[in-house]
């Protein structure tokens, strides 16, 4: 699990097409703290470290992930947002981020607003039901608060307000109108939707299980 608080930016060293999958090589500042098999969110996508060599970690990417995320437009020297998986003793500075991308969005505008930047993206209509004003949205692995959501039918335009620190220390500052970004909606909304869609009997059973689990935990 991740929190959407970007730890560092890295640079794509290589994008290798192999038989049936792709491999990304990424140079990063915390290379010496990585271990084989651990998870790293790369522009919000959860990847597993498969090799470590010369300041670069390598991660395999399935064709499905490669085609359904912004990885398809990455090239050598591209900068990416990086976050290692959250430790049990860590602070929860952002929101619950799984690293499982829901889709991509296109940047429609980037405007200065005092000391912040209003960053607007066009999100696929099927994802709009999971996005609410003042809720959380992960864009390229960055936890952001929704400032506004368009109410008209069709593609949903979502605007977030990016503070100076986040703007200066993530790759969002490189995005321009037309850029493609990875989107992960807040998972809490998906669970609520699932529970609401259950029949009364199913819903009751699920809630009893959750209650029993909570009691056992405490």
């Amino acid at each position: 699990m991740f929190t959407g608080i970007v730890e560092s930016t890295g640079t794509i060293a290589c994008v290798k097409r192999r038989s049936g999958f792709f491999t990304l090589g990424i140079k990063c500042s915390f290379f010496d703290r990585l271990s084989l098999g651990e998870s790293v969110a790369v522009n919000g996508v959860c990847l597993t470290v498969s090799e470590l060599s010369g300041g670069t970690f390598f991660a395999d990417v399935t064709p499905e992930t490669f085609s359904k995320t912004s990885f398809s437009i990455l090239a050598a020297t591209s900068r990416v947002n990086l976050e290692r998986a959250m430790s049990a003793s860590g602070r929860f500075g952002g929101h619950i981020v799984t690293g499982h991308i829901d889709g991509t969005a296109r940047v429609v505008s980037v405007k200065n607003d005092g000391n912040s930047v209003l960053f607007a993206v066009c999100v696929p209509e099927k994802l709009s039901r999971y996005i609410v004003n003042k809720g959380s949205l992960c864009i390229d692995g960055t936890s952001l608060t929704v400032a506004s959501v368009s109410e008209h039918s069709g593609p949903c335009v979502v605007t977030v307000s990016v503070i100076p620190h986040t703007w200066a220390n993530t790759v969002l500052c490189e995005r321009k109108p037309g850029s493609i970004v990875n989107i992960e909606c807040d998972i809490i909304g998906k669970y609520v939707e699932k529970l609401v869609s259950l029949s009364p009997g199913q819903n009751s059973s699920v809630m009893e299980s959750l209650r029993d689990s909570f009691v056992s935990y405490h």
Side-chain angles (χ1 to χ4, degrees):
M1 186 179 74
F2 307 93
T3 69
I5 302 301
V6 174
E7 184 173 355
S8 175
T9 59
T11 304
I12 298 295
C14 61
V15 180
K16 299 179 180 178
R17 179 187 290 271
R18 298 183 174 178
S19 178
F21 62 97
F22 297 83
T23 297
L24 293 180
I26 302 164
K27 291 185 176 294
C28 68
S29 60
F30 50 75
F31 169 82
D32 58 348
R33 286 174 277 164
L34 289 175
S35 302
L36 290 176
E38 78 169 274
S39 298
V40 179
V42 180
N43 276 358
V45 182
C46 178
L47 298 180
T48 300
V49 177
S50 60
E51 182 183 345
L52 294 163
S53 177
T56 300
F57 76 87
F58 295 85
D60 297 328
V61 182
T62 65
E64 170 78 3
T65 299
F66 201 85
S67 64
K68 296 297 176 63
T69 67
S70 63
F71 283 177
S72 59
I73 58 175
L74 288 180
T77 73
S78 294
R79 282 207 312 146
V80 289
N81 288 329
L82 300 174
E83 181 191 355
R84 289 177 293 169
M86 180 183 178
S87 64
S89 61
R91 290 183 180 275
F92 216 128
H95 71 282
I96 298 173
V97 176
T98 66
H100 303 151
I101 300 302
D102 290 308
T104 58
R106 185 177 298 276
V107 178
V108 294
S109 66
V110 180
K111 300 177 181 177
N112 291 324
D113 181 38
N115 67 339
S116 64
V117 174
L118 292 177
F119 193 87
V121 296
C122 184
V123 176
E125 185 177 4
K126 65 180 180 179
L127 299 181
S128 63
R129 64 182 182 271
Y130 302 122
I131 303 172
V132 297
N133 279 321
K134 309 310 176 187
S136 297
L137 183 66
C138 193
I139 300 179
D140 271 351
T142 307
S143 175
L144 297 163
T145 299
V146 176
S148 66
V149 185
S150 64
E151 299 297 335
H152 59 75
S153 61
C156 174
V157 177
V158 180
T159 302
V160 296
S161 183
V162 186
I163 64 172
H165 176 83
T166 300
W167 188 252
N169 290 281
T170 69
V171 300
L172 292 180
C173 63
E174 299 176 2
R175 304 298 184 244
K176 297 176 175 58
S179 295
I180 301 299
V181 294
N182 291 324
I183 294 291
E184 181 186 334
C185 300
D186 193 341
I187 194 170
I188 294 175
K190 300 172 194 174
Y191 279 119
V192 171
E193 179 184 60
K194 179 68 174 181
L195 286 171
V196 170
S197 69
L198 296 176
S199 66
Q202 290 175 309
N203 204 306
S204 177
S205 177
V206 170
M207 294 309 293
E208 286 178 7
S209 296
L210 289 173
R211 181 197 63 199
D212 292 343
S213 297
F214 180 81
V215 171
S216 297
Y217 178 77
H218 285 73

